[in-house]
Amino acid sequence: MIRFRLSQILSQRGWTPYRLSQVTGLTPPTAYRLADPDMRFGRFTADTLERLCRALDVQPGDLLEWVPEEGDSR
């Protein structure tokens, strides 16, 4: 499973999803959805990923984490 780490990064910086929306130009509902720590990773565009990386000065790998699911026999 891919885990999105945006909520942890925002917390470390003291940012709210609303501030993220202001800096990135994402709509507030989108920023809040992406910052939800319980969000199941879904689809988003490369443009969104680039906006997040630019605003937070991070690499894509800082935002994404792969976690093996229980019962994964690989």
Side-chain angles (χ1 to χ4, degrees), residues 6-26 31-32 35 51-58:
L6 182 60
S7 63
Q8 293 98 329
I9 293 170
L10 292 178
S11 178
Q12 290 169 354
R13 293 167 189 247
W15 283 31
T16 63
Y18 184 74
R19 179 174 179 191
L20 181 68
S21 72
Q22 292 177 318
V23 173
T24 61
L26 297 171
Y32 276 91
R51 288 179 189 207
L52 294 172
C53 289
R54 182 180 293 126
L56 298 167
D57 193 28
V58 297

Side-chain angles (χ1 to χ4, degrees), residues 2-73:
I2 301 292
R3 185 175 298 153
F4 200 47
R5 300 189 65 248
L6 182 60
S7 63
Q8 293 98 329
I9 293 170
L10 292 178
S11 178
Q12 290 169 354
R13 293 167 189 247
W15 283 31
T16 63
Y18 184 74
R19 179 174 179 191
L20 181 68
S21 72
Q22 292 177 318
V23 173
T24 61
L26 297 171
T27 65
T30 297
Y32 276 91
R33 183 178 52 79
L34 291 172
D36 181 349
D38 298 323
M39 179 187 101
R40 292 286 294 180
F41 188 82
R43 186 172 23 152
F44 62 90
T45 66
D47 176 66
T48 299
L49 184 58
E50 185 171 345
R51 288 179 189 207
L52 294 172
C53 289
R54 182 180 293 126
L56 298 167
D57 193 28
V58 297
Q59 293 293 314
D62 297 328
L63 292 169
L64 305 171
E65 175 184 23
W66 179 74
V67 180
E69 293 189 41
E70 283 188 39
D72 191 357
S73 60

